[in-house]
Amino acid sequence: MNKFPENFLFGGAIAANQCEGAYREGGKGLSVADFLTGGTVSSRKPGFQLKLDENKYYPRHRSIDFYHRYKEDIALFAEMGFRCLRASIAWSRIYPNGDDEQPNEEGLQFYDDLLDEMIRNHMEPVITISHFEMPAALVDKYNGWANREMINVFKRYVHTLFERYGDRVKYWIVFNEINAAVNDVKGTHEYAIHTGIHFRPEDDRYQLVYQACHHQFVAIAETVKMGHEMMDGAMIGGMVAFIPTYARTCDPDDVMKTFTANRKKGVFFLDVMSRGEYPYYFETYLKKYGIQLERTEEDLKLMKQYPIDYVAFSYYMSLTESAHPENYPTTDGNVFSGLKNPYLQYSRFGWSVDPVGLRYSLNWLYDRYQKPLFIVENGYGDYDTFENGMIQDDDRIQYLNDHLKETAKAIEDGVDLIGYCEWGPIDLVSAGTGDMEKRYGFIYVDLDNQGNGTLKRTKKKSFDWYKEVIATNGGSLK
Ligand code: BG6
């Protein structure tokens, strides 16, 4: 049947640092994302240098100029019939240095206008509080999330957002893909993008990163508490990049290795945020590696009392794992890499295409946490080229069609799903590579990897396709 519930939130997802540009306008301070160059820095080997080099190109500085063109872009989303739009707030527009005494009114006004525009166009705003960027000054001053003081700094920022936008925003997501933080230990640079830590050679990176995660978990609980106290009916979500990893074979050693890998990559983060406590296997892990976390009784009580209201996740692909990885080919992936799956096709960027994995994930997550779920990212990154004046993005249509069909099946299975946001409904800068030419949009933006282009927006074939999917509530899926 492929039919979705009447009130199902179909829409799209974008992130401030990947689309807004205007990195020095409206009183904005520098964020860690402003230091990312194109092509070389990968989110899977995250890092940056805290210094701008005038000879380098920084794709996020102008990006697709959503800051000045959001009305035009939202009008296009509205034409597709979007019922929601997931966008993030750039922390450094609100608090340029992160811990300023007063928020920046011009930044607050920008998001006032953006939210009003969404609402005028009948879109439910879904707001990410921190999407892969934090004010760069916090790295220098506090060593990022390694410092406990960050909880207070973040609370002030969140309080400002709830006070100002709480009348219009019901769905909040605290940190984008919080589990990406584990990749910070592998960074090839001194500075880690997700936790904002400046590593010194003598540092135990695991110790610092897990301490940073603890501070983020407490910050999430504080956010849930504040959200419930300050707004009626607010839903505060925790989010991970969910990448189901299957055993490469049914060899029990492969199965066991896979089980552990899944915990470490994503399940651990969801266990803590959803159940409000650290799982037993994490305590064992800390002992085994001699990691000593500073956690107070109050922290643990707060976390237990204020778990997240819903589970938000991105889903792009799946991986496989083995006890003998050397025997198998590897593959790249969203946030994490792993082993290839011989049963799946791969995109031109080497990510597996696994629609059934989405139905599996939805059932798995609902079974484990029994909280409403929200697919806040799913999409297909590809090189798009014009043929006879049009982009025929049939591979993207196929990918989305198949993933939405499996989503409909999961709803039929009984999963409580709030909505579905396609990632990057308009082409934007890639988080992983800083490239512009890895495109996800229904709307093409004339801009290349070097920053050349007019920024003109053009509808792709998938534009009308998605419009039809929404108009028919999934009835048009094939
Ligand atoms: C998710 C992020 O990991 O994947 C987005 O939340 C990102 O910010 C998206 O853009 C797609 O990844 P990439 O690397 O292709 O941009």
Side-chain angles (χ1 to χ4, degrees):
M1 280 293 291
N2 305 328
K3 273 287 184 191
F4 287 78
E6 278 304 313
N7 55 354
F8 188 76
L9 292 180
F10 277 111
I14 53 177
N17 81 81
Q18 293 171 255
C19 71
E20 282 180 8
Y23 84 116
R24 291 279 208 192
E25 287 179 54
K28 182 184 172 299
L30 288 171
S31 92
V32 293
D34 293 324
F35 294 89
L36 295 172
T37 53
T40 49
V41 175
S42 158
S43 66
R44 287 163 288 281
K45 293 190 194 68
F48 61 97
Q49 300 305 328
L50 204 50
K51 195 164 165 286
L52 291 176
D53 177 342
E54 61 184 27
N55 298 314
K56 286 189 177 150
Y57 171 59
Y58 294 91
R60 290 159 177 86
H61 288 186
R62 182 170 69 138
S63 191
I64 61 162
D65 197 27
F66 182 75
Y67 185 80
H68 294 110
R69 296 168 192 243
Y70 71 88
K71 287 194 179 159
E72 181 193 341
D73 296 340
I74 287 181
L76 287 165
F77 299 155
E79 201 183 320
M80 279 185 277
F82 276 25
R83 297 174 193 159
C84 73
L85 180 64
R86 174 182 172 218
S88 74
I89 291 181
W91 186 349
S92 54
R93 281 199 194 285
I94 309 297
Y95 284 100
N97 297 295
D99 64 351
D100 314 67
E101 282 300 312
Q102 294 300 325
N104 167 36
E105 179 53 35
E106 227 181 311
L108 285 169
Q109 188 60 47
F110 170 69
Y111 293 108
D112 261 333
D113 297 344
L114 181 64
L115 286 171
D116 289 346
E117 196 64 18
M118 288 185 202
I119 291 162
R120 233 191 323 275
N121 283 282
H122 314 290
M123 288 168 211
E124 177 87 44
V126 179
I127 298 301
T128 316
I129 295 172
S130 176
H131 190 126
F132 289 171
E133 48 91 31
M134 59 192 277
L138 298 174
V139 175
D140 260 352
K141 187 163 174 189
Y142 299 98
N143 202 19
W145 281 96
N147 187 331
R148 190 176 175 89
E149 186 51 26
M150 281 294 291
I151 300 171
N152 290 327
V153 172
F154 189 73
K155 267 173 73 179
R156 189 183 327 163
Y157 165 52
V158 173
H159 190 272
T160 303
L161 300 188
F162 286 176
E163 204 168 48
R164 183 83 170 217
Y165 310 126
D167 58 337
R168 282 158 289 170
V169 181
K170 172 178 175 181
Y171 294 102
W172 299 87
I173 295 169
V174 192
F175 295 106
N176 182 64
E177 297 183 339
I178 184 173
N179 55 329
V182 292
N183 272 343
D184 277 358
V185 295
K186 294 188 267 169
T188 49
H189 293 61
E190 283 171 76
Y191 293 90
I193 190 78
H194 303 108
T195 49
I197 298 173
H198 179 194
F199 292 119
R200 291 161 308 173
E202 67 273 23
D203 282 337
D204 176 342
R205 289 187 174 207
Y206 281 94
Q207 168 83 39
L208 283 180
V209 166
Y210 279 115
Q211 187 64 57
C213 290
H214 174 68
H215 295 148
Q216 293 195 338
F217 288 141
V218 177
I220 291 170
E222 293 277 15
T223 303
V224 175
K225 180 171 187 279
M226 249 192 292
H228 291 178
E229 285 168 1
M230 295 175 69
M231 297 172 284
D232 284 337
M235 295 281 282
I236 316 292
M239 184 199 169
V240 296
F242 198 70
I243 299 141
T245 300
Y246 314 134
R248 183 65 176 74
T249 74
C250 49
D251 175 347
D253 283 342
D254 282 359
V255 175
M256 198 60 224
K257 175 94 183 283
T258 305
F259 185 72
T260 313
N262 273 311
R263 275 176 168 173
K264 190 168 175 191
K265 284 190 286 189
V267 174
F268 158 68
F269 290 85
L270 283 175
D271 282 354
V272 179
M273 294 189 293
S274 296
R275 296 169 167 173
E277 62 190 17
Y278 282 101
Y280 75 92
Y281 58 82
F282 184 64
E283 303 301 340
T284 312
Y285 175 86
L286 294 180
K287 272 194 211 119
K288 185 168 168 196
Y289 292 98
I291 300 172
Q292 276 165 7
L293 294 190
E294 283 173 31
R295 297 175 282 184
T296 68
E297 281 303 314
E298 288 74 52
D299 291 349
L300 302 178
K301 234 166 86 187
L302 190 83
M303 285 161 63
K304 188 68 196 165
Q305 212 179 339
Y306 295 101
I308 53 172
D309 296 320
Y310 70 99
V311 171
F313 68 103
S314 65
Y315 177 89
Y316 290 88
M317 44 154 311
S318 62
L319 291 168
T320 70
E321 182 61 272
S322 164
H324 308 285
E326 64 283 2
N327 294 344
Y328 303 105
T330 55
T331 181
D332 200 4
N334 181 39
V335 183
F336 300 100
S337 47
L339 302 180
K340 261 187 131 160
N341 184 333
Y343 295 97
L344 299 178
Q345 301 289 313
Y346 282 77
S347 78
R348 270 176 277 274
F349 285 87
W351 294 15
S352 68
V353 176
D354 181 10
V356 177
L358 180 52
R359 180 183 180 188
Y360 168 79
S361 300
L362 285 160
N363 276 282
W364 193 93
L365 290 166
Y366 193 52
D367 193 20
R368 189 167 178 104
Y369 302 114
Q370 288 149 20
K371 287 186 194 272
L373 306 179
F374 203 152
I375 303 170
V376 294
E377 287 183 33
N378 172 243
Y380 188 72
D382 205 358
Y383 294 107
D384 289 333
T385 44
F386 281 91
E387 278 166 45
N388 306 321
M390 174 82 175
I391 287 175
Q392 315 274 353
D393 51 345
D394 292 304
D395 289 349
R396 178 169 300 112
I397 291 173
Q398 189 70 52
Y399 176 98
L400 297 173
N401 182 82
D402 296 350
H403 283 73
L404 280 166
K405 269 171 63 180
E406 293 300 323
T407 302
K409 285 185 200 163
I411 293 173
E412 230 176 85
D413 293 335
V415 169
D416 179 4
L417 184 64
I418 302 167
Y420 171 93
C421 296
E422 193 266 352
W423 172 256
I426 183 164
D427 294 345
L428 34 67
V429 176
S430 158
T433 63
D435 284 349
M436 212 25 237
E437 290 164 29
K438 184 181 191 189
R439 299 172 184 277
Y440 288 85
F442 302 119
I443 301 157
Y444 181 87
V445 179
D446 179 26
L447 184 66
D448 68 16
N449 285 349
Q450 289 71 41
N452 307 306
T454 60
L455 297 180
K456 181 171 176 269
R457 279 58 169 153
T458 309
K459 295 174 192 171
K460 303 180 193 174
K461 185 178 175 183
S462 56
F463 185 98
D464 286 333
W465 173 85
Y466 195 45
K467 183 177 174 178
E468 181 74 2
V469 170
I470 299 176
T472 59
N473 253 331
S476 63
L477 294 167
K478 295 204 174 66

